[in-house]
C-alpha cells in the first residue's frame, strides 16, 4: 500500500458552507463512528504537518480545520486517505496541512470533535536556537494488557506501585522538548499471545480473529494521544511491528497482523518530502539538525526479515533491491552542513551494544554513517540504556574530544510487558554507561558545537545520566 496523497487546502471564513468543484468537500457526517480518536501529528517537511487519526467508519473526506488562533480555525485541509486492513476495527485517516509557517503555533481539530489541539511546526533548517527532543525505544502499552505492576508467567520487571510510566514521565516533561522520536517497537500488540499463554490476560485463544492484538494496538494509540496530538510523534520500524507473535508465526497469526501492516497504515512519516519510503526510511530538518530514520528490519543485504535472518520476520521487502542504501547515501550526501551542522540518525537494531549485535545492520549502515560524518546514532531493541563512546568500526573516540566518528546511544527501555534485558558482562569496550531500568532520553542541541543527552528514569523523573558531545567547528 502506498498512500496516494490527494490533499486540498484552502482558506475559508469560519462557519462558511463550502461547496463547488474548487472548494473543499463536505466533511463526513458526524456520528460516533466518525468521531476522531488516537490523534497524532508528524512533521511533513519544512512547512507542513501530517495529522492522522482513527475512526470506526471509513471517511470519504478526512477533514482538519486549523489556524493560528484557537478562536478562528479558518483554514481547512482534506484528503481521501481513510484506510483499514484485515482484523482492524478502525480506519486510519491522514491529512497533511501544507501551507504553514515555520516554528509557529497552530491550533487544529479534525472534523467531528469539539476539542481543539495545537502543535508547533518545525524550526527552519539553519535556525540556530537551542532545542530538545525526546527519544524512546521499545515502549508498548501500559496497564492490564501491557506493562503494569504484575506480570504473567515468563515475564519480569513489573512496575513498582507508584512508579510513573514512561508516558507519564514524558507528559510531565512535555514543555521541554519539541518532538518525540520512537525508534521502533511501538505498541507491542504482538505480546497478546505471550500474555495469553502466561495467563496474564484472557485464556489462550487463537480463534478470536485477532481481537486481542487489535485491542492492545488501540490501547496504545489511545494512551499516547495526549502526547501525539500536541507533539510531533516520529516513528521508525522495529521487529515488533512485523510480528503478531514474538517471532512470526504464520500458523497462528492472521495476515493483517504481519509484515508491518498496522504500522504502514497508522503513520504518515515525511518520506514524501525526503524521497524516502512510507514509514520505513525518511529524513527531516529541524533547526541545526538533519534527522534521518533508517530501517534495520528489511531492505538491505541479509536483513533480519529474510528467511534464516536474525529475526526471520517473514516481512518485506518494500522496495527494489538496494533502494534503501542508495537513498541513505543520497540523503546524507545532500546535507548542507552550513545549515544543519548536526546529523542525527536512528535505526532500531544496535551494533554497538553489550549483548547480541546486529552485525548485518553494521555491515550495511555503518560505512555510510561514518563516511558522511553522522554525529549521533540512536538505537533501541535491547531493553536497557547503554551510552557508548563515538565509534569508528570498533575503535572508540571520546565524545568530549571532537570525535570524527558517530556517537552511539542505545535506549530500548521505555517499557512493555516483556520487561528489561540483562546486558552481558564484561561490557563492550565502547560502552561508557549502562542503566537497566525503564526510561527515556532527552537530547538537547545547544549550538553547533555542543549536543547533550540525559537519561530520565521514568519511575520518578530523575536524571540518571548526562553526557555531552563536543565538536570543534565554527558556527
Ligand atoms: C459539539 O458541540 C455542539 C454544540 O454544543 C454539540 O451539538 C455537538 O454534539 C458537539 N459534538 C461533539 C462531537 O461533542
Ligand atoms: C475464543 O474467541 C472466540 C471469538 O471471540 C470465542 O467464541 C471463544 O469462546 C473464545 N474461546 C475461549 C476459550 O475463550
Ligand atoms: C510484505 O509486503 C510487501 C508490500 O506489500 C510485499 O511486497 C512483500 O512481498 C510482503 N512480504 C511478505 C513476506 O509477505
Ligand atoms: C573494520 O574492521 C575490521 C576488523 O575489525 C576489518 O576487517 C574491516 O575491513 C574494517 N572495515 C572498514 C570499512 O574499515
Ligand atoms: C555552546 O553550548 C555550550 C553548552 O551550553 C556552551 O558551553 C558553549 O559556550 C556554547 N558555545 C558557543 C559558541 O556559544
Ligand atoms: C528515584 O528512583 C531511584 C530508583 O528507585 C532512586 O534511587 C532515587 O533515589 C529516586 N529519586 C528520587 C528523587 O526519589
Ligand atoms: C508465546 C510464545 O510463543 N512465546 C515464544 C517467544 O519466543 C521464544 C523464543 O523464540 C519462544 O521460546 C517462546 O515460546
Amino acid at each position: 500500500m502506498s498512500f496516494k496523497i490527494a490533499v486540498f487546502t484552502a482558506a475559508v471564513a469560519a462557519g462558511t458552507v463550502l461547496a463547488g468543484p474548487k472548494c473543499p468537500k463536505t466533511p463526513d457526517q458526524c456520528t460516533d463512528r466518525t468521531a476522531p480518536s488516537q490523534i497524532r501529528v508528524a512533521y511533513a517537511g519544512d512547512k507542513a504537518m501530517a495529522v492522522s487519526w482513527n475512526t470506526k467508519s471509513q471517511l470519504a473526506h478526512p477533514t482538519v480545520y486549523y489556524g493560528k488562533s484557537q478562536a478562528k480555525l479558518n483554514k481547512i485541509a482534506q484528503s481521501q486517505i481513510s484506510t483499514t486492513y484485515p482484523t482492524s476495527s478502525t480506519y486510519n485517516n491522514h491529512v497533511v496541512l501544507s501551507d504553514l509557517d515555520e516554528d509557529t503555533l497552530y491550533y487544529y481539530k479534525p472534523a467531528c470533535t469539539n476539542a481543539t489541539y495545537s502543535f508547533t511546526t518545525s524550526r527552519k533548517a539553519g535556525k540556530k536556537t537551542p532545542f530538545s527532543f525526546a527519544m524512546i525505544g521499545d515502549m508498548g502499552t501500559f496497564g492490564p494488557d501491557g506493562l503494569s505492576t504484575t506480570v504473567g508467567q515468563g515475564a519480569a520487571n513489573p512496575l513498582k506501585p507508584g512508579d510513573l510510566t514512561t508516558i507519564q514521565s514524558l507528559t510531565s516533561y512535555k514543555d521541554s522538548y519539541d518532538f518525540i522520536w520512537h525508534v521502533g517497537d511501538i505498541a507491542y500488540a504482538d505480546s497478546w499471545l505471550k500474555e495469553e499463554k502466561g495467563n496474564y490476560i484472557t485464556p489462550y485463544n487463537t480463534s478470536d480473529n485477532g481481537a486481542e492484538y487489535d485491542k492492545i494496538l488501540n490501547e496504545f494509540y489511545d494512551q499516547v494521544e495526549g502526547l501525539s496530538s500536541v507533539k510531533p510523534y516520529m516513528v521508525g520500524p522495529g521487529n515488533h511491528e512485523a510480528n503478531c507473535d514474538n517471532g512470526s508465526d504464520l500458523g497462528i497469526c492472521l495476515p493483517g497482523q504481519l509484515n508491518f501492516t498496522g504500522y504502514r497504515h497508522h503513520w504518515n512519516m515525511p518520506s514524501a518530502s525526503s524521497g524516502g519510503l512510507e514509514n520505513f526510511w525518511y529524513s527531516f530538518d529541524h533547526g541545526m539538525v538533519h534527522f534521518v530514520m533508517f530501517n534495520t528490519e528489511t531492505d538491505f543485504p541479509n536483513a533480519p526479515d529474510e528467511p534464516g535472518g536474525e529475526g526471520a520476520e517473514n516481512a518485506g521487502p518494500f522496495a527494489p533491491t538496494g533502494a534503501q542504501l542508495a537513498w541513505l547515501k543520497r540523503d546524507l550526501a545532500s546535507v548542507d552542513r552550513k545549515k544543519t551542522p548536526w546529523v542525527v540518525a536512528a535505526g532500531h537494531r544496535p551494533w554497538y551494544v553489550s549483548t547480541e549485535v546486529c552485525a548485518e545492520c553494521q555491515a550495511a549502515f555503518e560505512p555510510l554513517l561514518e563516511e558522511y560524518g553522522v554525529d549521533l546514532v540512536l538505537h533501541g531493541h535491547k531493553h536497557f540504556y547503554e551510552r557508548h563512546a563515538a565509534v569508528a568500526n570498533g575503535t572508540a573516540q571520546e565524545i568530549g574530544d571532537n570525535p570524527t566518528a558517530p556517537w552511539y546511544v542505545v535506549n530500548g527501555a521505555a517499557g512493555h510487558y516483556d520487561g528489561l534485558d540483562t546486558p552481558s558482562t564484561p561490557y563492550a569496550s565502547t560502552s561508557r554507561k549502562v542503566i537497566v531500568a525503564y526510561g527515556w532520553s532527552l537530547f538537547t542541541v545547544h549550538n553547533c558545537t555542543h549536543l547533550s543527552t540525559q537519561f530520565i528514569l521514568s519511575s520518578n523523573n530523575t536524571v540518571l545520566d548526562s553526557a555531552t558531545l563536543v565538536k570543534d567547528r565554527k558556527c
Side-chain angles (χ1 to χ4, degrees):
M1 171 201 66
S2 70
F3 293 123
K4 197 145 191 245
I5 309 281
V7 182
F8 184 99
T9 59
V12 291
T16 305
V17 177
L18 303 153
K22 290 221 109 189
C23 291
K25 302 280 193 287
T26 307
D28 296 68
Q29 200 184 347
C30 296
T31 67
D32 68 326
R33 298 193 61 83
T34 59
S37 65
Q38 308 176 351
I39 299 168
R40 46 202 186 273
V41 298
Y43 295 132
D46 290 346
K47 292 166 171 280
M49 192 71 80
V51 179
S52 305
W53 70 99
N54 286 42
T55 47
K56 290 185 185 139
S57 289
Q58 185 166 38
L59 301 183
H61 303 296
T63 299
V64 176
Y65 301 99
Y66 63 103
K68 289 185 188 174
S69 152
Q70 187 162 12
K72 203 168 141 220
L73 305 183
N74 60 344
K75 293 186 163 196
I76 183 169
Q78 294 185 313
S79 81
Q80 292 169 0
I81 304 163
S82 185
T83 68
T84 192
Y85 54 88
T87 75
S88 174
S89 56
T90 62
Y91 286 79
N92 301 273
N93 307 290
H94 300 283
V95 170
V96 175
L97 319 187
S98 57
D99 55 349
L100 310 176
D101 293 335
E102 287 138 332
D103 203 7
T104 301
L105 177 69
Y106 282 87
Y107 296 89
Y108 75 99
K109 62 173 194 167
C112 298
T113 175
N114 287 336
T116 305
Y117 304 86
S118 66
F119 59 70
T120 300
T121 49
S122 64
R123 291 165 195 260
K124 188 182 170 77
K127 189 163 179 175
K128 290 183 175 160
T129 46
F131 71 91
S132 300
F133 65 95
M135 174 261 180
I136 56 176
D138 307 65
M139 188 158 79
T141 306
F142 294 94
D145 289 324
L147 181 63
S148 72
T149 51
T150 61
V151 286
Q153 293 148 26
N157 313 110
L159 297 173
K160 294 193 188 67
D163 280 359
L164 299 177
T165 67
T166 297
I167 291 176
Q168 289 168 327
S169 182
L170 283 165
T171 303
S172 48
Y173 276 84
K174 204 159 61 173
D175 295 335
S176 309
Y177 51 82
D178 286 1
F179 68 92
I180 295 170
W181 208 5
H182 191 156
V183 303
D185 288 2
I186 313 283
Y188 278 92
D190 61 335
S191 286
W192 72 277
L193 184 59
K194 194 166 192 173
E195 292 177 27
E196 288 188 358
K197 282 183 171 172
N199 293 314
Y200 181 66
I201 54 174
T202 56
Y204 181 45
N205 188 352
T206 54
S207 46
D208 73 347
N209 299 317
E212 194 64 48
Y213 180 105
D214 186 59
K215 178 171 181 246
I216 297 176
L217 203 55
N218 281 313
E219 283 174 357
F220 175 82
Y221 288 100
D222 289 341
Q223 289 178 8
V224 294
E225 187 187 31
L227 294 167
S228 65
S229 60
V230 296
K231 294 285 168 180
Y233 198 105
M234 311 305 288
V235 295
N239 48 304
H240 287 271
E241 279 68 69
N243 304 337
C244 104
D245 175 8
N246 66 331
S248 266
D249 188 337
L250 291 167
I252 293 176
C253 297
L254 298 165
Q257 299 180 349
L258 292 167
N259 201 8
F260 295 94
T261 304
Y263 177 74
R264 297 174 72 200
H265 281 263
H266 275 82
W267 299 99
N268 192 4
M269 290 300 111
S271 43
S273 53
S274 59
L277 187 83
E278 298 186 19
N279 302 316
F280 290 113
W281 53 88
Y282 62 83
S283 66
F284 61 99
D285 291 333
H286 188 76
M288 291 173 275
V289 185
H290 181 71
F291 290 94
V292 186
M293 187 78 223
F294 58 93
N295 170 11
T296 61
E297 305 309 303
T298 73
D299 292 86
F300 63 92
N302 307 310
D305 67 294
E306 295 186 356
E310 187 195 358
E313 286 166 8
N314 195 27
F318 296 101
T321 304
Q324 177 178 206
L325 293 175
W327 172 83
L328 183 60
K329 189 175 170 65
R330 244 187 355 261
D331 185 80
L332 292 174
S334 70
V335 178
D336 178 354
R337 299 299 279 258
K338 289 210 178 74
K339 262 192 178 166
T340 53
W342 298 104
V343 178
V344 178
H348 183 60
R349 290 175 197 249
W351 52 86
Y352 293 117
V353 67
S354 295
T355 180
E356 310 95 299
V357 305
C358 182
E360 298 81 6
C361 303
Q362 177 173 22
F365 299 109
E366 187 183 30
L368 287 173
L369 303 176
E370 261 182 54
E371 180 182 352
Y372 291 99
V374 169
D375 298 286
L376 169 64
V377 180
L378 306 176
H379 297 294
H381 192 56
K382 299 301 178 185
H383 301 155
F384 51 84
Y385 169 77
E386 187 167 33
R387 170 168 60 79
H388 292 264
V391 197
N393 193 25
T395 304
Q397 303 173 359
E398 298 315 315
I399 59 168
D401 197 19
N402 190 32
T404 55
W407 175 29
Y408 287 86
V409 176
V410 179
N411 188 351
H416 94 89
Y417 172 73
D418 223 9
L420 297 159
D421 290 342
T422 308
S424 319
T425 50
Y427 296 149
S429 64
T430 56
S431 178
R432 293 295 176 267
K433 178 78 180 182
V434 173
I435 298 170
V436 185
Y438 297 117
W440 57 282
S441 293
L442 181 65
F443 285 90
T444 300
V445 184
H446 301 275
N447 48 41
C448 92
T449 56
H450 288 63
L451 192 166
S452 61
T453 192
Q454 294 180 306
F455 174 85
I456 301 188
L457 182 70
S458 296
S459 64
N460 63 10
N461 279 342
T462 45
V463 177
L464 291 194
D465 184 42
S466 304
T468 301
L469 173 63
V470 182
K471 294 277 175 155
D472 182 10
R473 56 187 165 208
K474 281 219 179 66
C475 297

